[in-house]
Amino acid sequence: MGFDPVAVQTAVRLEADLRDRWRREWGLLMDLAVWGEMRSTQIGLSGKLRKRVLDFGERLRAYGSDRSWIPHPREQIKHALSTSLQTREALEKVGEVVGQFSDGADLAALRALWAALSTALLADIVMREGRLVRLLNQQYQEEV
């Protein structure tokens, strides 16, 4: 028996309003990373933050991308799980850098935005990964 196409699409597709929300929030985060006033005793931390936020944006884009071009449902699920893992890793890297700043007029805004974005995104990742793993396990059980 094959995958239920509706269940697969529900598990791999990000709702448009949620994707748009995260895109806007990432844009605000990038704006703070580039133009925000934040200080640290660590030289080069601002550049590192910009690089990590840009990488995070690329991972976030992949996480929310359309997978309908992938012909087999199992491959769509595997792709979604892969981008989920990469997004988690990018989340951790940005969080580490954000935590290393010590002062600045925009530091509180950066931390508040980051806390809200990362918490909501991680909750979605955990929920979505659970669905994806259940689909794969269900398929495996049917094949055995």
Side-chain angles (χ1 to χ4, degrees):
M1 184 171 189
F3 287 99
D4 175 11
V6 174
V8 171
Q9 286 307 307
T10 300
V12 302
R13 183 182 306 144
L14 199 63
E15 296 78 22
D17 59 333
L18 191 55
R19 186 185 62 242
D20 293 344
R21 171 189 161 199
W22 286 336
R23 183 178 179 179
R24 275 190 316 275
E25 290 178 5
W26 175 83
L28 294 171
L29 184 67
M30 193 70 201
D31 184 63
L32 282 170
V34 172
W35 294 101
E37 182 193 326
M38 288 149 311
R39 288 182 226 121
S40 171
T41 57
Q42 209 175 27
I43 295 174
L45 193 60
S46 294
K48 189 174 186 180
L49 175 65
R50 288 188 289 273
K51 180 181 177 203
R52 301 282 187 201
V53 171
L54 182 58
D55 181 61
F56 169 65
E58 291 172 353
R59 302 297 170 224
L60 187 58
R61 166 70 172 89
Y63 179 73
S65 69
D66 177 28
R67 293 175 180 83
S68 62
W69 61 272
I70 302 172
H72 196 279
R74 182 185 312 253
E75 296 305 315
Q76 289 181 12
I77 292 168
K78 287 168 52 178
H79 186 269
L81 283 169
S82 173
T83 59
S84 178
L85 176 62
Q86 292 170 0
T87 305
R88 275 181 184 261
E89 291 171 351
L91 270 169
E92 290 174 17
K93 290 178 181 178
V94 173
E96 289 171 6
V97 175
V98 168
Q100 293 174 359
F101 284 96
S102 58
D103 194 18
D106 294 315
L107 183 57
L110 175 72
R111 287 188 174 157
L113 177 60
W114 179 247
L117 174 58
S118 61
T119 300
L121 181 56
L122 191 56
D124 187 76
I125 287 172
V126 168
M127 182 266 313
R128 194 168 307 277
E129 284 176 348
R131 277 193 214 155
L132 295 167
V133 168
R134 281 192 299 279
L135 281 171
L136 285 177
N137 286 340
Q138 176 186 354
Q139 181 69 24
Y140 177 74
Q141 293 298 325
E142 289 174 1
E143 289 177 0
V144 172

